[in-house]
Every structure is written in C-alpha cells, then in structure tokens.
Amino acid sequence: MADPLLFNPRTYDPEHFDPETRRLLRATVDWFESRGKRRLTEDYRSRAWPADFLSFAAGEGLFATFLTPASESGGRPGVRWDTARIAALNEILGFYGLDYWYAWQVTILGLGPVWQSGNAEARTRAAELLSRGEVFAFGLSEKAHGADIYSTDMLLEPDGEGGFRANGSKYYIGNGNAAGLVSVFGRRTDAEGADAYVFFAADSRHPAYRLVKNVVDSSKYVSEFRLEDYPVGPQDVLHTGRAAFDAALNTVNVGKFNLCTASVGICEHAMYEAVTHARNRILYGRPVTDFPHVRRALTDAYVRLAGMRLFSDRAADYFRSAGPDDRRYLLFNPMTKMKVTTEGEKVVDLMWDVIAAKGFEKDTYFAQAATEIRSLPKLEGTVHVNLALILKFMRNHLLDPADYEPVPIRLDAADDTFLFRQGPARGLGSVRFHDWRPAFDAYAHLSNVGRFREQADALCEFVATAAPDREQSRDLDLLLAVGRLFALVVHGQLILEQAGLTGLDEDVLDEMFAVLVRDFSAHAVELHGKDSATARQQDWALGAVRRPVADATRSARVWERVEALAGAYEMAS
C-alpha cells in the first residue's frame, strides 16, 4: 500500500483538483515515467538543456494554464494562478530533476513583475508568450552586487523620444538564453533615489541583448547577459519608482515559496531509492536495515520529510488566504525557504550515511539529489538572510497574538490575485499572528509534543526577559542562533495544524517531535556557546535543553512504515 505522506508515481491521482488540473499533473508524471531513469540520468550528466520537457509543457499548455492569472486568460477555462496546484507541480518536477523545476521556477519569477504591472500591453504580451510555450526570466541580480537592488548598475538613459536606452549586465539569471520576456531591474540616469528605479521587459532574441555565458556547469542555463543600447519604449516599462522596488521584493515573495515543495520532491525520490537499497543490501549475513543505527537514521529522515510536507501544505493555505489585513504569509514564506530546504539537506544526509558509496553511482537518482538538494537553501536569499527576516516577526508571533478566523485547507480552484497586489514591501514589524498555543494544546497528550511545548514556552520567557539588547542586536551571529530556535516553534505549529486537519498518524507525529526536541536542544547549546551571550542567556540556554521521550514500540511502528517503502516505487529504466 502506498504511503499517504509521500508522492508515488505508481499510485498518484490528484483527485482533489479539478479535472483539467488532474489531467495535466498526471500527464506530466506519465511523460517523465515514459522517458525512464536512464534518459533522466544521462540528460543530467550531459547537462542537456531541457528542451524536450519544455516542448511537452508547451504542447500541453502546462505553463500557460498554471501561470496565467484568470484576468489574462482570454476566457480559457481552468486558467488561473493557483498556489495549491503550482505546489503540486513543484513537487513532481523536483521528484524527477531540479533542472526541469528550475526552468519553471525562473519563469514564475520572470512573470512576477509583469502580473503586478498596470501595463496592459505588457500583460497581454506575456499571456501570448505563455500560450506559445515560451519561458521567462528575472533580471535582478548582478555580478558585483548580487541581488542588492539598491546598487544596480543597469542604467537607463532617456532617448529624447519618451523611452530609454539600457546599458549594463545581469548575472545569475536563469533562462536568460531562451526567455521570450526578461523582467529587468535598473535605474534611470535622470533621476535620484527611489524615483530612479525601473522594471522593464526585454527580449533575449533582440540584437541588443548579448548572451555572455552560462555561469554554472549544469543543464540549468544560469546566464550572464549584457544589454547594449537596448531600446526600452513605454510599452516595455513595467514599473517605475518605489513600485519597481516593491515589485522586486514581492516577486521574490511569490517565487521563494516554490523551493519547499521542490525539496520535498527531491527527498521523496531519494528516499525510495535509499530504503530499497538498504533493505536489499546484505552485510554480515543481515539486511542493512536490521542494524539499529540504520533504522534510526532512516526513521529520522522519514519523519523529517513528513514534517517538510506537512509544513509546506499548511503554509500554502496561509499564502492563498492572504490579504491586506492578513499578511501572516510573510513569516511562513521565508520559513518554507529557510527551514524546509535545510531540512531537505538533513534528510538526504541521513540517507546518504546509510547507503554510503551507492549515493555516488551515476545510474541513481540519489547522486543528483545529493547535489541538487544543496542548492535550494541558497536560492532566493541565503538561509541567513531569511533567518534574519523571520526574526522581525518573533515578538508578535510568540507574545502578542491576534484574533483571526480559522484558515481552512485551500485546495479550491481559485485565482490567488492578492499575490500580485501585495502593496508596499514594508511594515513587517506590524504583522500580527494567531495564537500558536492551541495547535500544541490539541496534541498535549503526545509525550514529545508536550516536551517541545516546554521548550517553546521557555523561548517566550527568553524573549520577554533575556532577549538580545541593543548592543547584541548588532551581533548577527547571536541573532541567527535565536532565529533557529524561533523557526522550530513556527515549524512545529504548522505541522500540528496540518496534522489536525488531515488526521495524521499520532505515532509519526510523536516521533517527529522527538526529533524537534533534539533540534531545539542542539540550538540552545549553540546559543550558550556564542561569544556575546550573557550569563543570563547562557543559563537560559542550558535550562531549555530537554531529552525526548523514548518509546520503543512507537518507534518500531514508525519503522514499519519506513521499511514498507522498500520496493514501493522504482523508476523504469
């Protein structure tokens, strides 16, 4: 029987979606399965641009159906921007290879400034390009400045006829080799400060667009390009002034969410391979899975992966339910990027410690998973950047809850229009959250949920009585240690909410929280060792250390679920 917590192509049927979404998702799975593992791994090793996948997607209208807002659909049924089904496709593409996901992900980023724009001509052009199967690109970062949008050297000089001539380069721009439209961020030479910012649309096939190179050794085309007197007319301008700045940040808000479900997909495929190999491998006359340390590693990997999936699914509900008066997604979004993707690294590492040299073999999916899982925590802002971001919400989230109507599971066929009218990218300190405690109260009978709740309450005490002072607030090394503790509480909260909504097996949940208790204790010890930690903070840190509650029978029941993954799925060659 298939594990309900994991994607399995053999049994996958997304019946909770409308018929056309269901057909497209299943068609995507079938396309990959028909190609087989040999072709999948050969294309990865040969660094082949995924032209065949993009041809399939164009023929099916996959990107156009999933990435065109209903307002630009021209009346075509089923066309909408629906985060739930976008997340489902992220998982599928991650499952088969991050190179395929990357072309899709960068298209999402490239569309962000367009769908936020009031330029109707540009929006119509983008919808037409999507309908023809074109990909898009997001021209934000630069070699000298990274994604520091305050320091762009893409300069737009007025041409005297109401337009501009753009000169400058962009670096680390996915799809820059093939994009029908590149959303490019720059600044005017005839204005100062925020008034100078401009987002404009460029075409990678234009003679004034010079493709320099692919900056990575990969099927992903992560380009460097230069614009040399590129003509920018009024019809190409997407945003000017502060609105251009906001469009950049709000686009990243939309795009970074996709990293979590891609991580889930990678880990799922790798887990099927790892458990199957370990179960079939005989050492000293015994299957590898008979050894206690192997069972512990694979069980920990499984419950961490289950937590990744639960958190991501619940975060999507808040993303879809967001509005001007409910911006809780601004916390849960960087959490998916920072916490879920780093959990993915841990999942793969745990499995790799078990399968060892097998994880290097070129005919496995695992070999590419071990490489690609590293990239996701480093895209759309580093882990440290996103940790620093979530710290802005810590006090309000832990200590000052507000009243909200409960957010249901959001799998309805709705257009997520608010994502393209998020408004000014500021005021994070004023965002309020619902009380995190009821999610824990509902599972207080589980020993490790109760133990983790003790640690979460201790963190509230820390924030109220021993939080970093003004001097320590300049010590990012210390703050990041605090951020990791806070991230665990938010992670646990949404896991519990999703568990309650879906009826998750309580053995799995308690085993999962045993892992979270250990993680919290480890981060508390890390805080204790920080150079600038005060004596009071050091005492608090050691006082927050807890030992998870062990239960051999519970662990054995969870292990049975893990062991059942052996042979549950193997991609045909």
Side-chain angles (χ1 to χ4, degrees):
M1 184 179 295
D3 190 307
L5 290 175
L6 302 185
F7 167 72
N8 185 334
R10 290 181 178 175
T11 58
Y12 182 62
D13 182 7
E15 59 185 354
H16 49 282
F17 288 120
D18 62 273
E20 179 62 5
T21 298
R22 186 179 182 184
R23 184 193 71 79
L24 284 169
L25 292 173
R26 186 66 239 185
T28 303
V29 172
D30 292 342
W31 183 83
F32 281 109
E33 289 293 320
S34 68
R35 294 177 86 247
K37 183 187 283 189
R38 183 178 296 110
R39 179 71 184 277
L40 199 76
T41 55
E42 286 176 355
D43 283 354
Y44 180 75
R45 292 198 308 274
S46 64
R47 299 154 179 80
W49 168 251
D52 52 353
F53 167 67
L54 295 175
S55 177
F56 156 78
E60 294 287 349
L62 181 63
F63 288 16
T65 302
F66 279 29
L67 301 183
T68 307
S71 62
E72 306 299 328
S73 69
R76 287 172 291 158
V79 175
R80 63 184 184 275
W81 191 287
D82 176 339
T83 302
R85 65 181 187 178
I86 287 173
L89 188 55
N90 287 330
E91 182 179 9
I92 291 169
L93 297 181
F95 188 93
Y96 289 107
L98 204 65
D99 292 343
Y100 308 102
W101 171 85
Y102 188 72
W104 147 267
Q105 162 70 357
V106 179
T107 293
I108 289 173
L109 290 169
L111 286 165
V114 180
W115 297 146
Q116 293 177 68
S117 175
N119 184 333
E121 184 176 344
R123 292 167 64 93
T124 300
R125 189 192 338 164
E128 174 61 26
L129 289 169
L130 272 174
S131 71
R132 300 206 305 255
E134 297 276 5
V135 295
F136 290 65
F138 186 53
L140 182 66
S141 65
E142 299 177 11
K143 190 171 186 178
H145 309 296
D148 178 4
I149 55 181
Y150 294 99
S151 305
T152 178
D153 290 330
M154 176 64 71
L155 303 180
L156 286 82
E157 185 173 356
D159 62 6
E161 299 177 358
F164 304 92
R165 292 283 172 172
N167 287 277
S169 65
K170 293 291 181 178
Y171 193 82
Y172 225 83
I173 310 303
N175 291 354
N177 60 316
L181 188 153
V182 185
S183 296
V184 183
F185 186 81
R187 59 185 174 91
R188 300 168 54 160
T189 60
D190 63 333
E192 297 293 334
D195 292 339
Y197 296 133
V198 180
F199 242 125
F200 63 96
D203 184 347
S204 69
R205 300 173 183 88
H206 193 282
Y209 179 106
R210 185 166 73 83
L211 186 65
V212 179
K213 62 180 178 180
N214 186 356
V215 305
V216 299
D217 186 18
S218 169
S219 299
K220 308 172 194 67
Y221 204 104
V222 186
S223 69
E224 178 183 7
F225 71 80
R226 293 193 60 81
L227 300 186
E228 298 172 342
D229 286 332
Y230 188 99
V232 179
Q235 73 278 5
D236 301 314
V237 175
L238 303 173
H239 302 274
T240 59
R242 176 74 196 195
F245 181 94
D246 291 336
L249 297 181
N250 291 336
T251 293
V252 173
N253 282 342
V254 174
K256 76 167 63 172
F257 182 77
N258 299 311
L259 278 68
C260 62
T261 37
S263 296
V264 170
I266 292 172
C267 291
E268 287 169 327
H269 198 157
M271 177 157 278
Y272 286 121
E273 280 195 343
V275 176
T276 299
H277 171 72
R279 183 68 183 83
N280 295 333
R281 181 79 163 171
I282 305 298
L283 286 180
Y284 311 112
R286 302 163 61 189
V288 166
T289 49
D290 279 0
F291 293 97
H293 69 289
V294 167
R295 292 189 174 192
R296 170 48 53 203
L298 293 178
T299 298
D300 280 5
Y302 174 81
V303 297
R304 284 187 186 277
L305 175 53
M308 292 166 63
R309 149 61 63 72
L310 293 163
F311 183 91
S312 300
D313 286 351
R314 187 58 177 151
D317 298 333
Y318 289 101
F319 216 71
R320 300 197 72 197
S321 301
D325 299 321
D326 182 356
R327 299 202 297 159
R328 288 174 286 179
Y329 76 102
L330 291 173
L331 167 59
F332 303 141
N333 191 28
M335 277 288 302
T336 59
K337 182 266 174 287
M338 179 277 297
K339 182 60 180 173
V340 176
T341 60
T342 54
E343 283 291 285
E345 287 188 290
K346 293 174 185 176
V347 168
V348 169
D349 285 344
L350 285 164
M351 294 187 293
W352 205 354
D353 283 344
V354 171
I355 68 171
K358 183 71 177 179
F360 294 100
E361 293 183 11
K362 66 180 183 180
D363 60 349
T364 65
Y365 175 84
F366 197 99
Q368 62 176 281
T371 297
E372 300 296 349
I373 200 69
R374 312 289 170 206
S375 64
L376 290 166
K378 299 164 184 65
L379 297 175
E380 322 311 344
T382 65
V383 168
H384 307 111
V385 166
N386 282 275
L387 264 173
L389 175 60
I390 72 167
L391 278 167
K392 297 178 183 293
F393 305 105
M394 182 169 67
R395 180 170 289 274
N396 276 356
H397 181 277
L398 292 178
L399 303 181
D400 191 17
D403 290 329
Y404 286 95
E405 289 296 318
V407 171
I409 292 176
R410 291 293 310 276
L411 295 174
D412 48 305
D415 201 44
D416 298 339
T417 57
F418 176 73
L419 300 181
F420 303 112
R421 49 178 180 83
Q422 295 176 56
R426 55 179 180 264
L428 302 186
S430 64
V431 177
R432 302 284 298 283
F433 300 88
H434 61 293
D435 194 343
W436 57 272
R437 295 168 183 82
F440 285 83
D441 293 341
Y443 287 97
H445 58 284
L446 296 182
S447 54
N448 284 304
V449 174
R451 190 139 298 181
F452 186 83
R453 171 64 186 272
E454 294 173 14
Q455 294 176 310
D457 286 336
L459 183 61
C460 292
E461 179 190 357
F462 174 87
V463 172
T465 65
D469 59 23
R470 180 174 298 181
E471 180 66 26
Q472 287 179 312
S473 295
R474 291 193 284 268
D475 182 355
L476 189 57
D477 186 44
L478 177 79
L479 293 180
L480 293 178
V482 176
R484 289 186 173 90
L485 294 167
F486 174 50
L488 279 168
V489 176
V490 180
H491 190 58
Q493 174 196 351
L494 263 61
I495 286 171
L496 291 170
E497 289 185 13
Q498 187 67 6
L501 290 167
T502 59
L504 179 70
D505 182 280
E506 291 191 353
D507 284 337
V508 173
L509 192 59
D510 207 24
E511 197 76 14
M512 190 185 302
F513 270 80
V515 171
L516 297 187
V517 169
R518 295 203 308 264
D519 286 352
F520 195 100
S521 297
H523 290 317
V525 171
E526 179 189 8
L527 176 62
H528 174 270
K530 292 300 178 184
D531 292 351
S532 64
T534 65
R536 186 173 187 178
Q537 290 166 344
Q538 293 172 48
D539 289 343
W540 174 88
L542 294 184
V545 172
R546 296 288 187 278
R547 186 180 189 277
V549 179
D551 183 335
T553 58
R554 178 197 69 220
S555 297
R557 289 192 296 268
V558 177
W559 168 248
E560 289 176 3
R561 295 176 66 118
V562 180
E563 191 173 29
L565 298 176
Y569 167 77
E570 185 171 356
M571 192 173 184
S573 59

